[in-house]
Amino acid sequence: TASTAYAGTGLAAAAVLILTYVGFALPPGSALFFSPLVVLVLLGAYFSDEFRVPLAVPLVAVPVAALLAELVSALVDRSLRTAHRFSSRKERLTRLEDVLRRFSRPGSLREAANEVAEAAIEIFDVDRATVVLRDTRGNLIPVTLGPSSDEEPDEETARLVAETIG
């Protein structure tokens, strides 16, 4: 009858909406995990006298809905990862801005190298940083801060760093 067909269509629509919600709210793979259960419920409704669901619904509509839900889930997951990456970049840029505001005018290149090393440790959240500056005569000024910071890089290491950065 018509009311049985409407009930079956409503049940099928509810199943598709549930899978779409699962795809939106849960991690990728969840809609595919739940879709066999939805197919079984709808197949039960297909054989039921109370709800008549067309056979195409569990065999075609549910797999298509599950695939669409997985697409939605993947897009949501990607969007969240992108938002996290941008948030992390924004946080690092904010830390850089804070460090640069504290950056004073050093009296010597060694003081400047110390400030740059301190900034690098803070911005990149590392334990140790080495900075090599070159004065106007070409002499290298190496500074290392952090654990074992009393060990300055040897002249060869400082020269290699300076050549690498130009």
Side-chain angles (χ1 to χ4, degrees), residues 14-24 30-32 34-35 38 62-63 65-66 69:
V16 169
L17 286 173
I18 288 169
L19 282 177
T20 303
Y21 174 78
V22 165
F24 184 75
S30 300
L32 290 178
F34 287 110
S35 63
V38 174
V62 170

Side-chain angles (χ1 to χ4, degrees), residues 40-94:
L40 287 175
V41 168
L42 290 175
L43 281 174
Y46 173 75
F47 293 111
S48 166
D49 290 334
E50 190 175 338
F51 300 107
R52 265 300 191 203
V53 175
L55 191 57
V57 172
L59 299 181
V60 176
V62 170
V64 168
L67 291 175
L68 287 173
E70 285 302 313
L71 175 63
V72 167
S73 183
L75 291 172
V76 167
D77 187 58
R78 186 176 187 168
S79 174
L80 290 173
R81 281 188 282 124
T82 301
H84 176 71
R85 192 172 53 245
F86 282 125
S87 173
S88 177
R89 286 181 185 164
K90 181 181 177 197
E91 183 181 313
R92 277 191 238 132
L93 286 173
T94 300

Side-chain angles (χ1 to χ4, degrees), residues 94-143:
T94 300
R95 286 193 336 212
L96 174 61
E97 182 181 31
D98 291 343
V99 168
L100 290 176
R101 282 191 182 140
R102 290 181 302 187
F103 203 72
S104 63
R105 292 205 166 252
S108 70
L109 283 178
R110 182 159 302 281
E111 290 172 10
N114 269 320
E115 287 197 29
V116 171
E118 286 173 7
I121 287 171
E122 187 172 332
I123 292 166
F124 298 110
D125 196 24
V126 295
D127 294 329
R128 182 179 166 130
T130 297
V131 174
V132 179
L133 299 179
R134 186 187 311 263
D135 67 14
T136 56
R137 292 179 292 195
N139 298 322
L140 300 177
I141 293 116
V143 171

